[in-house]
Amino acid sequence: DTAVSQTPKYLVTQMGNDKSIKCEQNLGHDTMYWYKQDSKKFLKIMFSYNNKELIINETVPNRFSPKSPDKAHLNLHINSLELGDSAVYFCASSQDAFRTALGKETQYFGPGTRLLVL
Amino acid sequence: EDQVTQSPEALRLQEGESSSLNCSYTVSGLRGLFWYRQDPGKGPEFLFTLYSAGEEKEKERLKATLTKKESFLHITAPKPEDSATYLCAVQAVDQAGTALIFGKGTTLSVSS
C-alpha cells in the first residue's frame, strides 16, 4: 500500500493553462505539505496544512492555491502556468504539526509529480 | 537566516570504498536533523533523525553522526545499490511551523 500518493506522475502542459495535482495519504496523519524541487534538485517548502487548515504559506505566487477537502487529501491548483513553474512537486505528510515542529515526527514524501510547462 | 550546506555535491566510489558525506548547518536552534535518500524519479525516503550533539544512528552500511555545527553520513563498504542522492534537512526553532530546510544533496555513485 502506498503511504503518500500523488496524481498525476507526469504533467506536460502549455503556458497559460490551469492544472491540478492531487495528493492522498493513508497514514492517518494530521499534517500535509507541498514542496517544490527545482532543476538543481533543491527542495523547498511551499505550503503546510494541519487538519485542513493552512499553517505555512511561503513566498509562493498566488497562482498556486492549495485545497484540503479532508485531512487525508491536499490538492494543489495552479493557474496561468508559466515556464518557471516546471519542476517536481512533492507532497508529504507527518503525524502531528506540534510534534513535527519540535522535530519529533518524520515527514514522509510521495513519489512526486513532474510538471513541464511548454 | 537558517542554512543547510552539503558537500561534496557528487561523490564517486568503488564498491567497498568507505567515505563520508557532510552536512553543515547554521540555525538559531536545532529541533532535529534528518537524513533522506532519494533515488532518481522518486520521492525522498527517510533514513535517520538526530537531535543532539554526540548522537549516532546506524542502519546497515550507513551511520549518521551529529555535532553542534554539522552531521556526517558515513558509508562503510558501499555497494552499487547505495547509489542515490542523500539529502540532509533541519527542523529549526525559528522556522514557521513545520517546514524542513533542505540542503542541495550529495549524489553518490558506487561502481562495482
Side-chain angles (χ1 to χ4, degrees):
Chain A
D1 282 350
T2 305
V4 182
S5 59
Q6 296 178 227
T7 54
K9 186 168 182 179
Y10 297 98
L11 188 51
V12 182
T13 189
Q14 298 288 328
M15 239 177 12
N17 283 352
D18 303 338
K19 291 292 178 186
S20 291
I21 307 171
K22 296 187 176 182
C23 177
E24 177 181 1
Q25 53 93 6
N26 63 6
L27 298 167
H29 287 169
D30 287 343
T31 311
M32 296 184 73
Y33 312 82
W34 280 110
Y35 284 85
K36 179 180 180 180
Q37 189 170 45
D38 61 24
S39 56
K40 296 183 180 178
K41 308 293 184 188
F42 187 48
L43 259 173
K44 191 168 180 189
I45 185 74
M46 298 174 70
F47 301 103
S48 171
Y49 268 73
N50 187 62
N51 272 323
K52 303 192 297 174
E53 289 190 17
L54 182 67
I55 56 173
I56 295 176
N57 183 358
E58 288 295 302
T59 308
V60 175
N62 57 14
R63 299 181 294 103
F64 290 79
S65 52
K67 282 202 172 73
S68 183
D70 55 62
K71 72 175 192 178
H73 295 84
L74 180 63
N75 303 324
L76 184 65
H77 188 76
I78 316 169
N79 288 327
S80 304
L81 277 155
E82 300 178 357
L83 295 176
D85 297 332
S86 297
V88 184
Y89 293 84
F90 287 99
C91 178
S93 73
S94 65
Q95 180 65 57
D96 171 276
F98 178 69
R99 285 179 53 80
T100 302
L102 294 177
K104 301 298 185 188
E105 295 290 343
T106 299
Q107 294 185 25
Y108 294 92
F109 285 78
T113 295
R114 283 137 195 88
L115 172 64
L116 178 60
V117 182
L118 302 174
Chain B
E1 185 182 337
D2 298 329
Q3 277 193 330
V4 177
T5 304
Q6 291 187 247
S7 62
E9 279 189 28
L11 182 61
R12 290 182 179 273
L13 298 173
Q14 291 290 317
E15 185 171 3
E17 180 188 0
S18 301
S19 188
S20 295
L21 281 53
N22 177 263
C23 170
S24 61
Y25 59 92
T26 307
V27 295
S28 57
L30 182 71
R31 297 282 197 199
L33 185 140
F34 299 78
W35 281 99
Y36 285 85
R37 170 189 169 131
Q38 186 174 22
D39 292 301
K42 298 197 174 175
E45 177 188 341
F46 171 72
L47 292 173
F48 304 109
T49 311
L50 301 165
Y51 295 107
S52 54
E55 190 174 358
E56 298 183 353
K57 295 259 176 88
E58 277 190 74
K59 181 179 178 179
E60 295 179 359
R61 295 177 292 283
L62 300 177
K63 180 170 144 182
T65 62
L66 182 65
T67 72
K68 287 187 177 178
K69 295 289 183 190
E70 56 193 356
S71 176
F72 292 94
L73 185 65
H74 308 276
I75 304 177
T76 303
K79 298 183 177 183
E81 53 262 41
D82 295 322
S83 298
T85 296
Y86 291 86
L87 299 169
C88 172
V90 299
Q91 193 89 51
V93 168
D94 60 352
Q95 273 300 306
T98 53
L100 283 174
I101 308 164
F102 278 88
K104 293 187 178 181
T106 294
T107 300
L108 173 66
S109 301
V110 182
S111 52
S112 55

